[in-house]
Amino acid sequence: MKDQFGREITYMRVSVTDRCNLRCVYCMPAEGIKCVSHDDILRFDEIVRICRIGAELGISRIKLTGGEPLVRRDLPELVGMLKEIPGIEQVTLTTNGILLKEQINELVSNGLDSVNISLDTLDAGHYRQITRTGRIEEALAGLDAACSLPGLAVRVNCVPLPSSEAEEYIRLALLAGDRRIDVRFIEMMPIGRGKESAGRSGEEILGILSDEFGEPEEVREQVGNGPAAYVRFPGMQGRIGFISAVTHRFCSECNRIRLTSVGMLKPCLQYGTGADIRKLLREGEQDSAIGEVMRKVIREKPSGHCFGEPSPDGEGAESLLETRDMSQIGG
Ligand code: SAM
Ligand code: SF4
């Protein structure tokens, strides 16, 4: 269905947990967050029911996220359940990759269409510093396992940090050199701990990569479900993408809503507004009533974020901004 600004909402990011096996400096405090109790997290049958109602409203693609989605037990089972929903064409996953090697075969045999792996650097020491606890060998084993499966689309997502050397972006981009994977650079957004973390602009990274690899060719066809702009450098098999939410606002093309692990349906990453769908489910509401609430959330989606500038939705909107961490919202 369309929202009040005529945007077709077809994509839902579904967070399955607020827990994580890493502690990335811009996402979580070193000691972790106070996790919500298991009873408060949506059960698989509840997630499936919300997605089924969403599919009736026009959602056709679902991205599983977290926290770290692979720490949720039996995630492949959920992928299979979601793929059976009429109207759901794609189920994809975003992960830090640490547990991917052991789960990828079952995820794919249950219907997973693509995987995004978060890797901010390939330097083992720097990776450890950024993630506080991570071993890059484990994430790379996950990446290799994913790349070995024909038919699975694989993307690497990097949030560029000021602490990285130019060489680290070049190494990351080279992952797309001889493999058909996309490497994407995502600007740090002032959400949660990201508010205190400096990032680097897509333009700066493009400059570094162009100095190394030469003039890129713009990729004109639409790639994926989101707002990434892609280029291809000479001789590379894969593409390089840029998600520049801060320096290039793309809200007018936003097609997504978010479901948090405790069942809040959020129309925009930056706003704390939305509806408590879990409450409705657990109070025994019918699908039709839940659908009506979801329809309202979609219809009233704000026109755009206000990273570092006044809200396009008016002065009052700024009091509604999100205060939770990215891992609690579902990044
Ligand atoms: N744990 C999984 C992972 O790391 O891919 C899924 C959840 S994580 C919150 C999803 C993505 O959000 C990661 O690529 C992470 O780097 C990114 N992220 C976290 N905080 C961010 C911020 N403030 N701005 C931009 N991206 C952020
Ligand atoms: Fe965990 Fe992903 Fe946040 Fe890193 S970015 S702490 S892996 S949820």
Side-chain angles (χ1 to χ4, degrees):
M1 68 171 275
K2 285 194 165 68
D3 72 359
Q4 60 180 326
F5 300 104
R7 296 171 294 192
E8 194 74 49
I9 307 302
T10 55
Y11 178 55
M12 182 153 73
R13 292 180 74 96
V14 174
S15 174
V16 295
T17 181
D18 59 343
R19 290 162 201 253
C20 188
N21 46 359
L22 298 183
R23 296 280 179 271
C24 300
V25 287
Y26 54 84
C27 183
M28 279 215 188
E31 65 281 10
I33 51 161
K34 190 173 173 297
C35 292
V36 293
S37 84
H38 281 293
D39 289 346
D40 289 336
I41 299 281
L42 290 179
R43 301 186 309 264
F44 283 179
D45 62 299
E46 292 174 320
I47 293 175
V48 169
R49 188 167 163 210
I50 296 169
C51 291
R52 182 172 292 120
I53 299 170
E56 283 162 16
L57 299 177
I59 298 295
S60 57
R61 289 158 300 174
I62 290 173
K63 167 88 71 204
L64 298 176
T65 181
E68 171 49 40
L70 295 183
V71 302
R72 176 96 189 237
R73 191 180 301 181
D74 298 328
L75 195 77
E77 199 181 302
L78 178 65
V79 170
M81 291 161 85
L82 294 171
K83 281 296 285 242
E84 280 176 13
I85 299 175
I88 296 300
E89 293 163 10
Q90 260 185 27
V91 177
T92 62
L93 171 74
T94 181
T95 170
N96 58 34
I98 297 290
L99 299 173
L100 190 59
K101 185 178 172 200
E102 61 215 55
Q103 297 192 37
I104 191 69
N105 286 329
E106 204 183 342
L107 286 162
V108 170
S109 62
N110 281 9
L112 187 76
D113 293 286
S114 78
V115 62
N116 292 357
I117 301 170
S118 301
L119 269 178
D120 296 337
T121 177
L122 291 177
D123 179 276
H126 197 204
Y127 182 81
R128 181 82 178 181
Q129 246 176 17
I130 296 171
T131 61
R132 291 199 183 98
T133 56
R135 292 183 61 237
I136 194 148
E137 301 78 17
E138 292 175 344
L140 291 177
L143 174 64
D144 286 343
C147 288
S148 71
L149 296 176
L152 180 71
V154 181
R155 298 191 194 97
V156 168
N157 285 340
C158 161
V159 176
L161 302 171
S163 54
S164 298
E165 304 288 338
E167 183 59 30
E168 295 177 61
Y169 304 124
I170 293 168
R171 280 179 69 192
L172 276 167
L174 280 171
L175 289 174
D178 55 5
R179 315 192 211 198
R180 294 189 64 80
I181 65 177
D182 295 335
V183 177
R184 310 182 320 163
F185 295 93
I186 302 175
E187 286 179 351
M188 178 78 70
M189 293 179 283
I191 304 279
R193 305 185 76 78
K195 285 182 198 140
E196 295 125 45
S197 314
R200 293 176 117 172
S201 71
E203 236 151 283
E204 190 183 347
I205 307 302
L206 178 63
I208 292 171
L209 300 183
S210 304
D211 287 347
E212 179 71 19
F213 301 118
E215 266 314 292
E217 191 186 307
E218 196 182 326
V219 175
R220 289 189 184 280
E221 75 268 23
Q222 170 71 29
V223 183
N225 300 321
Y230 285 90
V231 300
R232 198 187 291 277
F233 285 98
M236 282 199 191
Q237 286 206 31
R239 295 167 292 214
I240 306 295
F242 296 91
I243 302 181
S244 308
V246 179
T247 57
H248 290 87
R249 173 196 286 275
F250 42 68
C251 302
S252 63
E253 285 150 42
C254 186
N255 58 359
R256 61 190 59 188
I257 52 175
R258 292 165 192 269
L259 182 65
T260 72
S261 57
V262 295
M264 274 292 292
L265 188 68
K266 278 173 61 68
C268 175
L269 183 60
Q270 205 196 6
Y271 289 88
T273 56
D276 185 350
I277 306 297
R278 185 192 66 194
K279 183 164 181 286
L280 301 175
L281 292 177
R282 295 190 182 174
E283 282 174 354
E285 286 293 353
Q286 300 294 309
D287 285 4
S288 54
I290 296 169
E292 220 19 74
V293 172
M294 290 176 67
R295 197 183 288 279
K296 184 167 184 296
V297 171
I298 294 176
R299 198 180 312 115
E300 294 175 1
K301 183 174 159 73
S303 72
H305 67 64
C306 47
F307 296 153
E309 55 188 51
S311 166
D313 294 283
E315 272 177 35
E318 282 169 42
S319 61
L320 305 173
L321 294 185
E322 182 60 82
T323 53
R324 284 167 291 191
D325 278 329
M326 200 68 137
S327 58
Q328 295 167 310
I329 303 166

